[in-house]
Amino acid sequence: MPPKVQQKSKEQKMAAAMAGGKGKKKKWSKGKSRDQVDNKVLFSKEQHERFLSEVPKMKLITVSTVVEKLKISGGLARRALNELAEEGSIRPVCVSRAQRIYTRNITEDDEE
């Protein structure tokens, strides 16, 4: 058996407890905050031209990809994609309440 360790007296234990004090209080973290994006709500002339040239060439076209790429608002992206779909520049794959997925319109003469 290991040798017996000398126990502290009650007075020594009390003094050690009093000396410790309260310590520092825990600080609450502020939480992670995303930086606020300032997306445009109207097309500028050059943004609209960029939209018309780049979006029909993308393989996967969703509202969120257009918002990220062109820094426009979601509502503007939805309406612009609706217009492109009506023109026939892009083709809807899945249009539901939650998510709209489009793809580029591939015609038969492009494949040959």
Side-chain angles (χ1 to χ4, degrees):
M1 283 175 75
K4 209 170 190 186
V5 179
Q6 182 77 24
Q7 292 246 329
K8 293 182 180 177
S9 67
K10 281 188 175 182
E11 289 83 27
Q12 286 175 330
K13 286 182 183 177
M14 188 77 140
M18 295 299 284
K22 260 209 153 188
K24 290 192 174 177
K25 198 170 182 180
K26 184 183 180 299
K27 297 258 192 272
W28 285 91
S29 67
K30 300 287 187 258
K32 292 184 180 175
S33 60
R34 274 187 32 177
D35 48 330
Q36 195 68 23
V37 290
D38 186 28
N39 289 339
K40 306 287 183 271
V41 293
L42 291 173
F43 275 126
S44 64
K45 192 172 181 71
E46 60 105 27
Q47 252 182 338
H48 191 257
E49 289 166 0
R50 190 170 159 214
F51 173 81
L52 292 176
S53 65
E54 287 183 18
V55 172
K57 295 175 188 166
M58 294 165 62
K59 273 188 181 175
L60 174 71
I61 305 165
T62 62
V63 173
S64 54
T65 56
V66 173
V67 165
E68 284 292 313
K69 197 170 188 114
L70 298 175
K71 300 289 184 256
I72 58 175
S73 71
L76 182 60
R78 274 197 305 272
R79 291 184 179 199
L81 288 176
N82 280 343
E83 282 184 17
L84 277 185
E86 286 171 9
E87 288 173 13
S89 303
I90 60 176
R91 187 169 51 95
V93 175
C94 171
V95 179
S96 71
R97 178 187 60 82
Q99 182 76 26
R100 298 166 187 215
I101 301 172
Y102 299 93
T103 188
R104 59 186 176 194
N105 202 1
I106 301 171
T107 56
E108 282 73 35
D109 45 276
D110 284 351
E111 292 174 357
E112 292 174 5

